[in-house]
Amino acid sequence: MLASSACEALPALLPAQTHFNHPTPYPISHVPHRIPRPTSHPIPTRTLRAAAAAAGSGRSAGPAAPAGPRSLSFSHFRTSSPPKVRLCVHCLQAVLPRKPPARMEARTHLQLGSVLYHHTRNGEQARGHLEKAWLISQQIPQFEDVKFEAASLLSELYCQENSVDTAKPLLRKAIQISQQTPYWHCRLLFQLAQLHTLEKDLVSACDLLGVGAEYARVVGFAFFLLSNNILGCSYLDISTKFSSSLQEVHPLLTLCGQIVENWQGNPIQKESLRVFFLVLQVTHYLDAGQVKSVKPCLKQLQQCIQTISTLHDDEILPSNPADLFHWLPKEHMCVLVYLVTVMHSMQAGYLEKAQKYTDKALMQLEKLKMLDCSPILSSFQVILLEHIIMCRLVTGHKATALQEISQVCQLCQQSPRLFSNHAAQLHTLLGLYCISVNCMDNAEAQFTTALRLTTHQELWAFIVTNLASVYIREGNRPSMSTFCFVCSSHCLRAAAFYIRGLFSFFQGRYNEAKRFLRETLKMSNAEDLNRLTACSLVLLGHIFYVLGNHRESNNMVVPAMQLASKIPDMSVQLWSSALLRDLNKACGNAMDAHEAAQMHQNFSQQLLQDHIEACSLPEHNLITWTDGPPPVQFQAQNGPTTSLASLL
């Protein structure tokens, strides 16, 4: 029983990374992730680095639409809270049969396409209207606001439909004819750079940023130039994930930070740039598994978002059209800061704090999604759910975790791009769930599928580490000979030492196991990786118990139990209570042994009850899904499909 507990403690031991792959690039991290991008505004790349690094939001600097009666009605419906989308669409559709002038026709098609794209799921109609707006506006002189907004929105929609090859030539043409319109030229350059990052073509993305930087310098767009430089850092940071040289990014991040602090400009823009930079910096540390080192930056970020939330956008009206450029709307920034806080709490093992900020973020997202169907909001929601699912598995709430996995499946069904960006993370979460309910064959299948779907180094290492725990538990020792990877994440390297210690323990090589586990403790203590610390302590305690050194065993198990209770980690608590029971029996402490036995019984009952509930859910059938899109419907289960006794 105790031996199997060693493996059960591993799921979500690492900060299950959740890559932020999205329709637009940015930064963020853990099952390695990516952050999406805002509707119709520049953004930078894949991962939360891909999330923070890329969402550019801007407001069109062109002339307003004609203020006829129908236009006024449209504006009224659009600005209602929540927007009256159906009435808004009907009002705009009534304009077109009257054969309006070309300018009004193009603008009406743009408005219809924008409303349908942002507030409905009718992508086909939205695409048709935007294509007409783009076609008509190209024939009209001095109509840049409609022309380039149509091109920008249409390329976003193509990306949502996984038609990146259609979006790129559209953006190239728009960039070519926008050189006399600095705001749109810069924004479209960002957008095309972002598309290249989706395809991992970081060389082309950086080349475009270079073009944008030179253009911004010539026309005097200081704010855009700063955004461009920060984004360049994000691309380098992403590229280092494939070269295992995260240290290369530190000097550039430091330089960018100094430039942002010294810049004298609009207060709102400066705070926006600071949030942009700090999100990039925080996610860089989190990707590197440096949970303790990131705390000062995270605190700065939280203070910065509090400051920016007190400023009003209309306090200082910018005179330069480039100053209309924003990397992300203020409301989205707040959710993003909640998200990186959740990521940090998950890695550090502060699961109650992660739960608190997840609840706040999801509540804010629900309010935003009533007014805005921007793809970035769905990406934020998926990433938050991925992290809270890992928390549920650690705290012993498997049934809730399974229902939330099903919720992620439903969100991914609504967007091909979202599914392609999160498919590997989704199968990884299912693998972790399978371990928690002792479906080891299914766990192996899920992890193998996830490995096939990802090329991200940290996510790959995370999956391999958990797959190794499955092989150890199943006695598939020959497969452990392939357990070797190079990874720049401090947390994942520490977890790899734990896995080696666990393997040596099962092999009966106790001195070797202790050496690996002490290395894990050294690394986890250096960066406050509480779950790894708790797991290493209890396994060391188990080794000392087997060797008959009861005093040293007790010195390890007691702090492990205290730390596990603080997290809280149900598997480590179950394991520790069993060890304390047996230790006290061996030492003749009947009262303490009885108390530990009672604790163990309580934890066992909680886990068994949750096991029964989870395996009885229709969503439990997801464990057999390993190919194609997630299933839409689930057949009800007759009951648990695995042995409950194996949990003990």
Side-chain angles (χ1 to χ4, degrees):
M1 172 206 71
L2 292 179
S4 65
S5 298
C7 291
E8 288 187 17
L10 187 67
L13 174 63
L14 322 169
Q17 295 194 245
T18 311
H19 263 283
F20 305 105
N21 245 345
H22 345 41
T24 316
Y26 333 12
I28 287 194
S29 160
H30 275 336
V31 181
H33 288 103
R34 245 153 247 190
I35 292 187
R37 99 173 233 181
T39 310
S40 87
H41 300 88
I43 306 174
T45 291
R46 180 180 183 169
T47 321
L48 208 203
R49 196 148 299 91
S57 271
R59 293 186 292 258
S60 173
R70 291 192 183 276
S71 177
L72 292 173
S73 299
F74 157 70
S75 298
H76 168 71
F77 295 140
R78 181 178 58 82
T79 57
S80 299
S81 183
K84 298 176 182 178
V85 176
R86 185 177 179 184
L87 294 175
C88 184
V89 170
H90 285 174
C91 190
L92 290 169
Q93 286 175 333
V95 174
L96 297 175
R98 300 172 180 272
K99 300 186 182 298
R103 284 178 174 266
M104 182 179 290
E105 182 183 4
R107 191 181 295 278
T108 302
H109 279 300
L110 172 61
Q111 290 170 331
L112 271 167
S114 179
V115 169
L116 290 168
Y117 173 60
H118 289 122
H119 299 286
T120 75
R121 296 175 187 166
N122 198 334
E124 186 174 348
Q125 282 193 26
R127 183 176 64 253
H129 285 295
L130 291 173
E131 286 173 344
K132 288 177 183 177
W134 167 240
L135 181 64
I136 296 170
S137 62
Q138 289 180 78
Q139 314 304 319
I140 304 173
Q142 298 180 346
F143 206 39
E144 283 75 11
D145 64 320
V146 169
K147 184 188 309 180
F148 298 127
E149 186 166 356
S152 177
L153 280 175
L154 187 55
S155 68
E156 283 188 19
L157 192 150
Y158 284 148
C159 288
Q160 286 297 301
E161 296 175 340
N162 270 343
S163 300
V164 176
D165 289 338
T166 307
K168 284 193 289 189
L170 169 64
L171 284 173
R172 289 192 190 104
K173 182 174 182 180
I175 289 169
Q176 183 181 3
I177 62 178
S178 66
Q179 294 186 38
Q180 302 306 313
T181 312
Y183 167 78
W184 278 108
H185 189 65
C186 292
R187 177 168 153 181
L188 293 167
L189 279 169
F190 257 158
Q191 202 165 343
L192 182 55
Q194 153 196 323
L195 294 194
H196 283 298
T197 63
L198 288 175
E199 299 183 320
K200 301 176 189 172
D201 184 3
L202 299 183
V203 173
S204 297
C206 287
D207 288 344
L208 282 167
L209 291 183
V211 172
E214 178 60 22
Y215 180 86
R217 186 188 63 78
V218 171
V219 299
F221 279 16
F223 180 73
F224 178 87
L225 187 57
L226 283 169
S227 301
N228 192 87
N229 289 341
I230 297 174
L231 187 50
C233 275
S234 78
Y235 288 159
L236 177 59
D237 198 13
I238 294 165
S239 68
T240 58
K241 289 176 173 43
F242 301 95
S243 64
S244 302
S245 53
L246 285 170
Q247 294 302 318
E248 295 177 16
V249 185
H250 286 308
L252 284 175
L253 284 174
T254 302
L255 178 60
C256 268
Q258 292 170 352
I259 295 173
V260 170
E261 292 303 321
N262 293 332
W263 183 62
Q264 301 297 318
N266 184 310
I268 294 178
Q269 288 182 311
K270 182 166 183 173
E271 290 304 312
S272 175
L273 277 177
R274 289 189 71 215
V275 171
F276 188 4
F277 168 73
L278 287 168
V279 167
L280 177 61
Q281 193 172 38
V282 167
T283 55
H284 165 72
Y285 277 114
L286 291 177
D287 275 347
Q290 297 172 343
V291 176
K292 184 177 182 179
S293 303
V294 76
K295 286 182 179 179
C297 298
L298 181 59
K299 186 175 181 180
Q300 273 186 281
L301 176 60
Q302 292 165 340
Q303 292 171 343
C304 190
I305 198 65
Q306 289 177 350
T307 300
I308 204 171
S309 63
T310 63
L311 299 175
H312 299 288
D313 294 339
D314 55 356
E315 284 182 355
I316 302 175
L317 296 176
S319 57
N320 192 325
D323 291 344
L324 292 170
F325 183 92
H326 291 291
W327 76 278
L328 201 65
K330 182 166 63 177
E331 296 77 13
H332 293 191
M333 287 185 206
C334 293
V335 177
L336 182 54
V337 174
Y338 280 139
L339 179 49
V340 295
T341 303
V342 169
M343 291 166 54
H344 174 263
S345 300
M346 178 66 209
Q347 275 206 50
Y350 305 133
L351 302 193
E352 291 181 349
K353 184 178 179 181
Q355 173 70 66
K356 181 180 77 171
Y357 281 102
T358 298
D359 291 342
K360 287 184 177 182
L362 290 175
M363 189 180 301
Q364 183 73 9
L365 275 173
E366 286 303 313
K367 293 177 182 177
L368 290 173
K369 290 182 81 170
M370 291 176 65
L371 306 173
D372 182 4
C373 291
S374 171
I376 194 174
L377 298 179
S378 295
S379 293
F380 285 160
Q381 186 176 2
V382 167
I383 296 166
L384 283 163
L385 286 171
E386 287 171 343
H387 281 79
I388 201 59
I389 287 164
M390 291 184 284
C391 289
R392 309 281 195 209
L393 293 174
V394 173
T395 57
H397 298 93
K398 297 184 284 291
T400 305
L402 183 58
Q403 291 169 329
E404 288 167 339
I405 290 174
S406 174
Q407 188 179 347
V408 173
C409 289
Q410 292 169 22
L411 288 168
C412 288
Q413 286 168 354
Q414 298 168 14
S415 167
R417 171 65 64 182
L418 194 63
F419 175 65
S420 66
N421 289 339
H422 289 267
Q425 290 93 307
L426 192 48
H427 284 288
T428 302
L429 291 171
L430 282 169
L432 295 175
Y433 167 76
C434 289
I435 293 177
S436 73
V437 293
N438 299 292
C439 297
M440 293 300 153
D441 290 341
N442 297 104
E444 182 177 356
Q446 292 295 338
F447 289 138
T448 302
T449 301
L451 287 173
R452 175 169 50 84
L453 294 173
T454 188
T455 57
H456 188 276
Q457 188 183 70
E458 269 68 37
L459 179 55
W460 188 89
F462 176 78
I463 297 166
V464 167
T465 304
N466 280 281
L467 183 57
S469 77
V470 173
Y471 290 149
I472 291 172
R473 180 160 182 177
E474 291 297 280
N476 190 358
R477 306 285 156 47
S479 298
M480 280 299 298
S481 61
T482 62
F483 180 69
C484 180
F485 59 80
V486 177
C487 181
S488 56
S489 169
H490 181 92
C491 179
L492 288 169
R493 284 187 283 114
F497 279 114
Y498 175 85
I499 283 289
R500 292 181 183 280
L502 185 63
F503 180 57
S504 297
F505 167 73
F506 273 86
Q507 292 286 302
R509 302 195 300 269
Y510 298 125
N511 288 332
E512 182 180 88
K514 286 190 288 184
R515 186 170 67 253
F516 284 130
L517 293 171
R518 283 169 178 151
E519 188 63 29
T520 302
L521 279 176
K522 177 183 174 183
M523 296 181 69
S524 58
N525 286 334
E527 287 293 342
D528 290 347
L529 304 173
N530 291 327
R531 288 210 64 234
L532 272 172
T533 299
C535 290
S536 299
L537 285 172
V538 73
L539 182 51
L540 275 170
H542 196 149
I543 292 170
F544 284 120
Y545 174 76
V546 172
L547 294 174
N549 190 340
H550 295 165
R551 179 179 177 182
E552 200 60 34
S553 178
N554 191 71
N555 289 341
M556 299 292 158
V557 177
V558 170
M561 174 62 105
Q562 292 170 345
L563 192 53
S565 301
K566 182 181 176 182
I567 291 173
D569 185 323
M570 184 66 77
S571 294
V572 175
Q573 286 177 293
L574 179 71
W575 187 3
S576 299
S577 61
L579 274 170
L580 286 172
R581 176 196 61 197
D582 295 344
L583 273 170
N584 284 300
K585 278 184 182 178
C587 296
N589 301 325
M591 187 175 296
D592 290 340
H594 176 74
E595 182 180 347
Q598 188 60 52
M599 280 195 299
H600 184 264
Q601 179 66 17
N602 293 339
F603 293 137
S604 298
Q605 288 302 317
Q606 291 177 48
L607 285 170
L608 291 176
Q609 184 176 352
D610 185 53
H611 179 97
I612 294 170
E613 183 181 353
C615 292
S616 300
L617 291 172
E619 291 85 354
H620 183 75
N621 280 309
L622 275 171
I623 67 174
T624 62
W625 163 60
T626 56
D627 190 36
V632 178
Q633 295 181 338
F634 312 100
Q635 297 296 322
Q637 288 282 318
N638 294 323
T641 58
T642 56
S643 169
L644 300 183
S646 63
L647 283 173
L648 304 180

